[in-house]
Amino acid sequence: MTNGKLNVAVIGSGGREHAIVRKLKSCAGAASVTAIPGNGGIARDVKCVDIDPLDVSAVVRCCMDAKIDYVVVTPDDPLALGMVDALCEAGIRAFGPVKAAAQLESSKIFAKNLMKKYGIPTAEYETFTDSTAAFNFVRKSFASGEKALVVKADGLALGKGVTICMSLAEAESAVRAAMDEKCFGKSGERIVIEEYLTGPEVSVLSFCSGGVVVPMVSSMDHKRALDNDEGPNTGGMGCIAPNPFYTPEIAEICMKRIFIPTIEAVKKEAAPFTGCLYFGLMLTEAGPKVIEYNCRFGDPETQVVLPLLESDLLSIMLACTNGALTPEMVRFGPGAAACVVAASGGYPAMYRKGFRISGIDATESAGAIQVYCAGVKRDGDSLVTSGGRVLCVSAAAANLEQALKTAYRGIANIRFENMRFRTDIGKLALSAVKK
Ligand code: AMP
Ligand code: GLY
């Protein structure tokens, strides 16, 4: 603590963490912000300490040595490993759920069974622990007229554990890959097979504390690698906020039937949820249904949600940790935001790294644009690519059309070899806005 202000650390190394770090830096209550491990781009804003975020005891030790007062734990793996529990045991306050509550994301079977028990709307499903029963189930389903099924690994799988299967052959191959070939390691030893749902998707991140859930502005991710939602699933290629399909009426239904029941259920079944709970929803003809829970801020959702946040992020996070969260604390501006991810050619499959990145400063100096770095590392005086999703160009404006124009104008200044980005981020949302 320095002059009553807090030394804050953010665990993680992506574009999401860059957005959180920048927002926290602007908060009056923050004396310093440190990223663990951060990346070469984040290091231009704050101090980065190169420690593996999966090494829980090393992170705790580092925070104690650096006299960190408050830790924001963002990625799924450290949460599932009990990072928040370990920090609390060491007497360091943290933002994020304890391990038991993080099961909402780290086990799809836990999440599905919880939704079933508490009547929270989601896709119909069965769970399997052996492949013979799973093969029999998919064969029977397609024989009785099912047109599609979704096969999901139970555990964390770097966003690759979900396969949409439009034929029996695809479903059999997804079951084989997860259970017999162990493509996702232990995470695929148990699987969920569920009903295929259709409708616009919405991400709703929410601040949670005990029984209180305060949703942030809604957003829409673009998960497929290529334009027109083609190609394989990725971590997310771009995002817009607010999501025009998420009307106030739908928001009210979600609060009553999904958000509050989830928070109450997880408290009863595991532990009170403190932190950011991400509701991945599909707006089906039968109403909104939960596709997935994430126990953390989304990436790239955060890169469009936080630029619209008008209230003080650190105060909100502390209120979550202290059990003092109220809806009045969380205020968003009236405009819109859009972000476009610049990826390495080949991502999400094989890609090359180490290419020099240029144009970040020119892009940001144009104003109203933020460049959030993800797969970026320092090489001498330069920044070079070091991951699949390299950086994310984000813009806030009075409306979605303007935000998209600005983000695309910004990304046009960024250069690195084999750079690729989607050219249709926000197209579907714009068509809904214009209706
Ligand atoms: P997840 O990894 O759980 O975020 O799932 C990745 C993507 O798969 C989601 O964003 C959806 O687009 C799709 N998906 C997951 N579950 C279903 C489902 N039951 N029906 C249709 N699409 C789904
Ligand atoms: N954008 C999807 C996620 O953060 O999981």
Side-chain angles (χ1 to χ4, degrees), residues 7 17 35 48 61 101 126 188 210 217 227 334 346 350 379 402:
N7 295 315
E17 284 76 12
C48 292
R61 239 186 351 262
E126 297 283 338
V217 64
D227 282 8
M350 295 281 283
D379 181 11
Q402 207 53 47

Side-chain angles (χ1 to χ4, degrees), residues 203-218:
S203 305
V204 180
L205 317 186
S206 64
F207 291 109
C208 297
S209 175
V212 182
V213 46
V214 183
M216 299 179 221
V217 64
S218 61

Side-chain angles (χ1 to χ4, degrees), residues 108-109 112-113 116 122-130 133-134 136-138 140-141 146 149-154 175 179 190-195:
K108 291 206 191 293
I109 294 181
K112 294 295 290 190
N113 289 347
K116 188 176 189 178
T122 187
E124 296 289 326
Y125 72 103
E126 297 283 338
T127 62
F128 297 91
T129 50
D130 93 283
N136 286 339
F137 176 79
V138 294
K140 228 163 100 191
S141 299
E146 200 71 72
L149 284 175
V150 183
V151 176
K152 300 185 170 187
D154 173 52
V175 170
M179 303 193 91
R190 304 193 299 164
I191 61 169
V192 175
I193 302 182
E194 70 179 32
E195 178 195 7

Side-chain angles (χ1 to χ4, degrees), residues 108 112 123 150 152 159-164 194-198 201 223-224 233 278 282 290-292 294:
K108 291 206 191 293
K112 294 295 290 190
V150 183
K152 300 185 170 187
K160 294 179 185 158
V162 173
T163 315
I164 311 284
E194 70 179 32
E195 178 195 7
Y196 174 68
L197 301 176
T198 53
E201 284 188 59
K223 287 209 165 86
R224 300 293 202 93
N233 262 334
Y278 164 140
M282 195 170 267
V290 177
I291 288 282
E292 60 163 347
N294 293 319

